[in-house]
Amino acid sequence: MMDGNETDVLIIGAGPAGTLAGTLLNREGFRVEIVEKQQFPRFIIGESMLPSSMALLEEAGLLDTVESQGFMRKFGAVFLRGKETCNFDFANQSGPGWKYTYQVTRADFDKALADKVQAAGVPIHYGQAVTAVDFADDEARVTIETPEHKQVVAKTKFVLDCSGYGRVLPRLLDLEQPSTFPPRDALFTHVSGDHRPADREEGKIWVCIHPGGAWIWIIPFSNGRTSIGVVGDPEFFRAFPAEPEAQLRAIIESDPNAAPRLTGMKVVFPPVRINGFACSVKRVYGPRFALVGNATEFLDPIFSSGVALALESSRRAVQLLSRQLRGQTVDWQKDYAEFVRQGMDTFRAYVSAWYNEDLQHIFFAPQRDPAIMSQICSVLAGYVWDKSNPYVTQASRALSLLANIARTQVRS
Ligand code: FAD
């Protein structure tokens, strides 16, 4: 990035939120540039997508790029607890949503999107980190550290913060707020030697409920490797005192569903641990900025909602920003903050119901109403803004009532 560089929009971060925003703003004719701290390809967690993202990628002209990568098709999600199974197939959604999506190695997925947006004419400044922002009435001045450790200042009309876990503006503008969820830890890696189910079942994500209270994800890739990870309270991990790889193996070996599938697994890289990933913010926009994707709020990985929410919030932010840059009045509170919140709140209800075990009662109930399970399937496919679905609009209440019915079934 050159000192004094001027743009209409400066995007921080070239993850899915950033590259989607770059593509859409460029298509609208704005001068947009992306500043990305790392060099691509780079590892990042967040590998299981939701079908709702497919339409957004298609609309932005990015779906062909994703399809051409040969990623593993994901047709659903399977929840396993001991001998019980609940198999959601995206073909069984109540709404007209996409019936499949992908399991993606994010290093490849993010690079493919970044290359596409760059080829369309959006400069991506790799290896450059935003370190400060100064908002004035008529512009924002963004300080960027170059790979040579020089500080340059770029001028822009608007900053879109798509920095994910970097949380650049939340930190710089003191917008950080603790999550309402207690801190949980995740321990994950990629492995080879996964004994997968065949055909349509191969690409589904497995979520195994460990007898000790944590859960394990199994996400198969088309390159023969599989992402595995454990999410649980810090006390859960303390019950398996060992170095990360030995700890991960001990947890897998003590789960009745993960153990047989992963017998003989070989770890591809030393397991990574993330502590306390849930985070939130006081507000998601200001006069010359908006927070997008994970820079807003991150709830929990259980329903693989991160990339879907990143893409939805990115598209919505761009719609409003385009109008604002053309001189129209925009209601960021109603049309952005409340919109993002609604999708988040739907997933929040499901995450809460997962950890208070309402969802386990529903998923493993002896009798499950297929019509209701289809409505829940649509939510798990990412359609969390669909007001025709009572399991969206009344999520907390509907799940709690349904769980109570399921509990009675178990008792009788
Ligand atoms: P990111 O993908 O985080 O991209 C942000 C980019 O900004 C990065 O490339 C970063 O280098 C760059 N950046 C950061 N700081 C700066 C700076 N100062 N200057 C310039 N650039 C900067 N989501 C799913 O959809 N499916 C899953 O299965 C899933 N599993 C998960 C498992 C775990 C354990 C966790 C913690 C999360 C998981 N997620 C999952 C969430 C997912 O990782 C994120 O929601 C998703 O990556 C958010 O995309 P984004 O574009 O907002 O940000």
Side-chain angles (χ1 to χ4, degrees):
M1 176 76 79
M2 302 274 287
D3 204 24
N5 190 63
E6 286 190 33
T7 51
D8 294 321
V9 184
L10 189 140
I11 297 175
I12 312 175
T19 46
L20 184 76
T23 302
L24 296 174
L25 285 163
N26 182 51
R27 207 161 71 180
E28 294 283 323
F30 297 112
R31 292 171 307 160
V32 53
E33 301 194 15
I34 303 178
V35 179
E36 166 55 54
K37 191 162 110 176
Q38 299 196 53
Q39 299 292 345
F40 277 21
R42 52 93 176 89
F43 174 83
I44 188 168
I45 198 64
E47 300 150 326
S48 193
M49 292 179 60
L50 298 184
S52 64
S53 294
M54 302 293 273
L56 299 184
L57 293 169
E58 187 178 43
E59 183 190 299
L62 295 172
L63 188 58
D64 289 351
T65 306
V66 174
E67 300 264 16
S68 68
Q69 298 295 306
F71 292 127
M72 172 68 76
R73 282 201 176 202
K74 171 187 174 187
F75 291 105
V78 186
F79 296 84
L80 306 100
R81 183 178 70 179
K83 292 195 166 59
E84 301 165 297
T85 303
C86 181
N87 191 332
F88 285 97
D89 195 298
F90 296 135
N92 298 331
Q93 291 174 63
S94 60
W98 277 71
K99 306 292 184 247
Y100 73 93
T101 184
Y102 289 105
Q103 313 283 23
V104 301
T105 42
R106 285 285 302 278
D108 302 313
F109 178 80
D110 289 19
K111 179 155 189 337
L113 295 186
D115 287 352
K116 175 87 178 183
V117 61
Q118 212 170 14
V122 179
I124 303 184
H125 304 279
Y126 287 107
Q128 310 211 1
V130 170
T131 55
V133 184
D134 179 17
F135 290 101
D137 283 348
D138 54 343
E139 67 180 11
R141 282 183 287 273
V142 181
T143 306
I144 297 159
E145 186 172 314
T146 68
E148 301 77 35
H149 303 292
K150 265 178 51 195
Q151 306 280 324
V152 298
V153 177
K155 295 177 189 166
T156 187
K157 293 180 185 153
F158 202 93
V159 180
L160 273 185
D161 185 1
C162 301
S163 64
Y165 305 108
R167 305 186 67 68
V168 173
L169 292 189
R171 287 184 214 273
L172 291 175
L173 304 179
D174 191 22
L175 301 175
E176 296 268 40
Q177 182 168 277
S179 170
T180 48
F181 292 116
R184 295 193 172 92
D185 297 349
L187 182 65
F188 50 87
T189 186
H190 290 177
V191 300
S192 59
D194 168 23
H195 307 295
R196 301 175 176 179
D199 305 325
R200 189 175 177 83
E201 294 300 311
E202 180 181 359
K204 288 185 180 174
I205 183 173
W206 272 25
V207 175
C208 304
I209 299 167
H210 189 278
W215 60 272
I216 298 166
W217 78 68
I218 303 181
I219 298 174
F221 298 129
S222 57
N223 64 8
R225 292 181 175 166
T226 295
S227 172
I228 62 166
V230 184
V231 178
D233 296 335
E235 309 90 80
F236 171 83
F237 288 95
R238 282 198 283 275
F240 295 87
E243 291 306 302
E245 185 177 335
Q247 186 179 48
L248 185 59
R249 282 184 181 280
I251 294 168
I252 297 291
E253 280 161 15
S254 53
D255 181 84
N257 294 297
R261 180 164 168 169
L262 296 168
T263 331
M265 74 179 192
K266 286 202 173 56
V267 161
V268 174
F269 56 82
V272 177
R273 191 186 303 279
I274 301 188
N275 307 104
F277 36 72
C279 52
S280 186
V281 282
K282 293 173 199 159
R283 60 193 165 96
V284 293
Y285 69 95
R288 293 201 171 271
F289 74 87
L291 311 182
V292 178
N294 244 45
T296 60
E297 180 167 9
F298 182 68
L299 301 171
D300 194 271
I302 178 64
F303 299 116
S304 309
S305 56
V307 171
L309 291 170
L311 296 178
E312 286 282 359
S313 57
S314 180
R315 181 182 64 159
R316 179 55 74 110
V318 166
Q319 285 170 346
L320 297 191
L321 180 52
S322 302
R323 299 209 316 254
Q324 178 166 313
L325 291 170
R326 293 204 177 90
Q328 295 168 25
T329 308
V330 171
D331 188 343
W332 282 93
Q333 179 58 32
K334 180 168 161 294
D335 293 331
Y336 186 66
E338 286 171 26
F339 172 83
V340 172
R341 176 133 199 124
Q342 193 211 311
M344 278 288 173
D345 280 351
T346 306
F347 273 121
R348 194 187 320 277
Y350 281 73
V351 171
S352 297
W354 175 260
Y355 286 104
N356 72 20
E357 298 193 5
D358 277 357
L359 270 182
Q360 274 101 316
H361 285 286
I362 294 168
F363 288 177
F364 304 117
Q367 296 118 42
R368 298 167 217 162
D369 180 335
I372 293 177
M373 294 310 273
S374 300
Q375 289 169 329
I376 294 176
C377 186
S378 289
V379 173
L380 301 188
Y383 295 98
V384 289
W385 280 274
D386 174 7
K387 296 221 166 103
S388 69
N389 185 348
Y391 281 84
V392 168
T393 50
Q394 317 267 324
S396 287
R397 208 174 133 263
L399 291 175
S400 157
L401 283 172
L402 192 57
N404 284 341
I405 296 168
R407 281 191 185 90
T408 332
Q409 284 179 11
V410 174
R411 273 199 298 273
S412 64

